[in-house]
Amino acid sequence: MTGTDASRRAVGAVTAGAAVAYAAFIGTSGFSVGGRTYFSLFDDAMISMRYAHNLADGHGLVWNPGQRVEGFTNPLWTLVMAGVHWLPIPLRFTSLAVMFISAALLLLQLPVTAALARRIVPGRPRIQLAAVIGVAAYYPLVFWSLRGMEVGLLSALLSTALLLVARLHEGERGRDVVALAVVLSLALATRLDAAIPVAILVIAAGRMTTGVRWRTFAVLGVVTGGVLVGTELARHAYYHAWLPNTYYLKVQGISTTTRLHGGVDMIVRLVAVEALPLVLLVGAGIWFARRTWSPLVVTCIGLLGAQVAYAVYVGGDAWESLDFSDRYITTMTVPAFLLIAAGLAGLADVPARVLAVLGGATLVLLALDLVVTRARYAKGPSVHARATWLVHRSASSILVIAAVIAVAGVVLALAGSRSSGGASERVALAGAAVLTVLTLVQPVWSWVHRDDVTFLFDKRETRVGVALAAAAPPGTTVALSFAGAPAYFSQLPALDMLGKMDPVIAHEPSHPVPFRPGHTKWDYAYVARQHPDVILDLYMATAADKAAFTAAGYTTLPNGLRARTDVGLDLTRLAAVPLGG
């Protein structure tokens, strides 16, 4: 069996293992509502699902039939969801179908990663395989994809485009240029802000083409530019706006300084809590690749750097409290692990004993980070809870670090008179594996033990939606702050009080509250004037806000739900809607 065949079999084994893990993740996402099994997605994904359902039902790509507001930022992914809704699948299982599609996209990235790794670190099959394993196991990519966001689709498209760019560098092929144009167009159709990585890939393709460069630039420029122009014209024709409503909600009226402050805080928190091991490995890749600066390495650096800069510029995401990389940065998982592979290849050329010293110093740094830096971000309702979290997390991590140092010592002892390069590669791979595992312990632990905050939230909001559908007659208008699952499963006309699907709120000034993208604008006086029949939840409402709704004729039920008393609603059934759990 040749080395290539062995490598392919190894990638196949990793892919099979990943498929089993993803299936387990999906299987544990189900929960019972009224004795029936339901599946739901992340809150923002359920917003896209409502648009998709309305499109499949013939109402158009709208939140409420007859109201054209673009409250989503992932057109192509929403169309994929619409395809799911054209199938004869009950609403309680549509999310399951979307998760399986996302799992397929994750698995398709693995052979692409392997092909790219062979070009980044030729002749290093173990390091190539390590890059594939890293991408397969990277929890944020798995989480955002399998929880229904467009991250898996966009990551698959961009990594495929990167491979096509690399193929152009090896010899111009007309079919590769055409394929690259199609893939980049699909990326732009997935998210408008994909224009940033697309532009980098177009430039890289032109510079890396071995044949007639101007032809590559012309084809890719005309096609991607045409897609952008066509998308904007279609958006304006359908929604009467040049940008998605979410742009006005998250950017308009919010100073650049405020967004940058939020973005920098996001990066600091991410590095301190989760990403320091990976940042060290990526940094090693950039450092060791500096001697060659191959076009593919430079492109990976450009993609990752530009996406991080964009995430900082927009102020990060609304869900940075999850303490792992957000939806923007996670789309660059493949370029990041390719840089890590380059770093491992460089480390494998360092004498084993020197590498052991460097590894020990790095692990000590991580131990200090766990004990000192993470204390600032430890979460809990009390000082005792935060202290307990910190002790458990630090103790378990330090034990892992100690075990790694011991294993590294054994490896070095067994290496004996063997070549330092082979021993160094084994030590580098072992150390990288542990550093990567350190980034996965906390989120995986939360998911396995069923206390993951997003899962609990999505389950609760799904139950709210199902209960609303049973308690309120069709046509009942519902105002809500968290608009995903409750609106989708109730199928009632809905008013988004945080403005994602409401252009009036989206264009209003931001409240002077701590910056959180998409959660700084609301107008309860405006909501009261719309006279919704039911109000589910009030985000950061003052006592005056609540009193105003009471004065407007709303009664507050024991579960916290507010309802009008003049439209014949069954208040007893509404009081049974489980808002609190």
Side-chain angles (χ1 to χ4, degrees):
M1 183 170 57
T2 66
T4 301
D5 291 337
S7 177
R8 288 176 177 170
R9 290 188 63 179
V11 172
V14 171
T15 303
V20 172
Y22 300 161
F25 186 102
I26 292 171
T28 58
S29 299
F31 49 88
S32 177
V33 179
R36 308 176 76 187
T37 300
Y38 276 75
F39 290 86
S40 184
L41 302 173
F42 194 75
D43 186 65
D44 283 7
M46 295 308 298
I47 290 174
S48 296
M49 289 284 278
R50 178 167 166 118
Y51 274 90
H53 188 207
N54 280 330
L55 178 62
D57 275 358
H59 300 300
L61 205 54
V62 295
W63 173 248
N64 290 318
Q67 300 175 6
R68 294 190 178 185
V69 181
E70 188 179 5
F72 58 93
T73 55
N74 49 5
L76 180 59
W77 187 235
T78 302
L79 292 178
V80 171
M81 291 175 164
V84 169
H85 286 84
W86 275 313
L87 300 174
I89 301 176
L91 286 188
R92 61 195 183 98
F93 290 139
T94 50
S95 295
L96 178 63
V98 171
M99 284 189 274
F100 277 122
I101 293 172
S102 293
L105 291 168
L106 289 175
L107 295 175
L108 288 173
Q109 290 184 76
L110 301 184
V112 172
T113 302
L116 285 165
R118 286 194 292 272
R119 290 163 169 83
I120 286 281
V121 285
R124 304 273 195 176
R126 285 181 293 190
I127 294 178
Q128 295 164 10
L129 186 62
V132 176
I133 294 173
V135 171
Y138 188 51
Y139 184 81
L141 180 62
V142 175
F143 175 87
W144 291 120
S145 301
L146 297 187
R147 296 307 296 144
M149 301 305 296
E150 72 282 354
V151 172
L153 174 60
L154 188 57
S155 178
L157 290 170
L158 293 176
S159 57
T160 301
L162 183 60
L163 177 58
L164 290 169
V165 169
R167 286 165 60 92
L168 289 177
H169 184 56
E170 297 163 358
E172 184 184 15
R173 302 175 179 86
R175 64 179 182 274
D176 287 340
V177 176
V178 173
L180 180 58
V182 172
V183 172
L184 292 179
S185 298
L186 293 175
L188 289 172
T190 302
R191 283 190 67 95
L192 179 60
D193 53 14
I196 297 171
V198 165
I200 292 173
L201 288 166
V202 168
I203 294 171
R207 292 181 61 84
M208 292 169 67
T209 298
T210 58
V212 184
R213 292 185 176 184
W214 69 264
R215 184 169 59 191
T216 300
F217 271 126
V219 171
L220 298 179
V222 169
V223 172
T224 56
V227 170
L228 278 176
V229 172
T231 299
E232 286 304 296
L233 292 175
R235 171 177 288 114
H236 192 269
Y238 194 79
Y239 293 110
H240 308 294
W242 290 112
L243 292 168
N245 194 59
T246 50
Y247 167 84
Y248 304 103
L249 176 68
K250 297 180 179 181
V251 177
Q252 189 178 71
I254 300 173
S255 70
T256 302
T257 301
T258 298
R259 295 200 311 275
L260 288 177
H261 183 273
V264 170
D265 183 73
M266 173 269 295
I267 289 295
V268 171
R269 181 186 184 114
L270 178 62
V271 172
V273 176
E274 185 242 7
L276 179 58
L278 296 183
V279 169
L280 292 171
L281 289 172
V282 170
I286 295 173
W287 172 258
F288 286 111
R290 77 191 189 285
R291 293 191 290 266
T292 57
W293 287 103
S294 71
L296 187 54
V297 168
V298 172
T299 304
C300 288
I301 294 172
L303 287 170
L304 182 59
Q307 198 68 3
V308 170
Y310 174 73
V312 171
Y313 174 74
V314 299
D317 200 2
W319 307 100
E320 301 296 349
S321 59
L322 295 178
D323 291 339
F324 51 77
S325 59
D326 61 29
R327 295 173 287 179
Y328 303 121
I329 296 176
T330 301
T331 57
M332 292 298 138
T333 297
V334 172
F337 275 94
L338 292 176
L339 290 174
I340 289 173
L344 292 175
L347 289 170
D349 294 329
V350 176
R353 298 187 185 281
V354 174
L355 181 59
V357 174
L358 291 175
T362 299
L363 293 172
V364 170
L365 174 62
L366 290 174
L368 292 174
D369 170 64
L370 287 165
V371 174
V372 180
T373 309
R374 298 186 185 208
R376 177 184 174 188
Y377 297 105
K379 301 183 291 296
S382 66
V383 173
H384 178 266
R386 289 195 296 272
T388 301
W389 177 89
L390 180 61
V391 169
H392 288 175
R393 181 72 179 272
S394 301
S396 61
S397 299
I398 290 172
L399 286 174
V400 172
I401 290 171
V404 174
I405 294 174
V407 169
V410 171
V411 170
L412 289 174
L414 293 176
S417 60
R418 298 177 189 175
S419 64
S420 62
S424 292
E425 183 173 302
R426 288 191 292 274
V427 173
L429 285 169
V434 173
L435 293 180
T436 303
V437 167
L438 285 176
T439 70
L440 306 176
V441 170
Q442 184 66 25
V444 172
W445 178 274
S446 295
W447 185 268
V448 169
H449 284 264
R450 317 302 287 155
D451 63 352
D452 178 85
V453 63
T454 60
F455 172 77
L456 296 176
F457 176 83
D458 296 335
K459 180 169 66 172
R460 184 194 72 186
E461 295 302 290
T462 298
R463 288 174 172 165
V464 169
V466 173
L468 268 178
T476 301
T477 56
V478 181
L480 28 69
S481 297
F482 297 98
Y488 178 80
F489 285 105
S490 70
Q491 293 298 301
L492 298 173
L495 170 62
D496 176 21
M497 294 189 289
L498 291 182
K500 180 174 283 190
M501 279 70 67
D502 191 291
V504 174
I505 296 174
H507 284 79
E508 289 189 354
S510 177
H511 286 273
V513 295
F515 179 67
R516 184 185 177 193
H519 294 74
T520 63
K521 296 182 180 181
W522 59 86
D523 185 344
Y524 292 133
Y526 162 77
V527 171
R529 291 195 298 272
Q530 305 308 303
H531 303 294
D533 299 321
V534 174
I535 300 173
L536 279 189
D537 45 19
L538 296 176
Y539 181 76
M540 297 187 73
T542 65
D545 292 327
K546 298 174 182 178
F549 280 113
T550 301
Y554 290 89
T555 185
T556 302
L557 303 180
N559 58 353
L561 183 147
R562 290 171 173 78
R564 290 173 59 183
T565 57
D566 58 346
V567 291
L569 295 173
D570 188 335
L571 300 185
T572 301
R573 299 186 70 182
L574 287 173
V577 173
L579 295 186

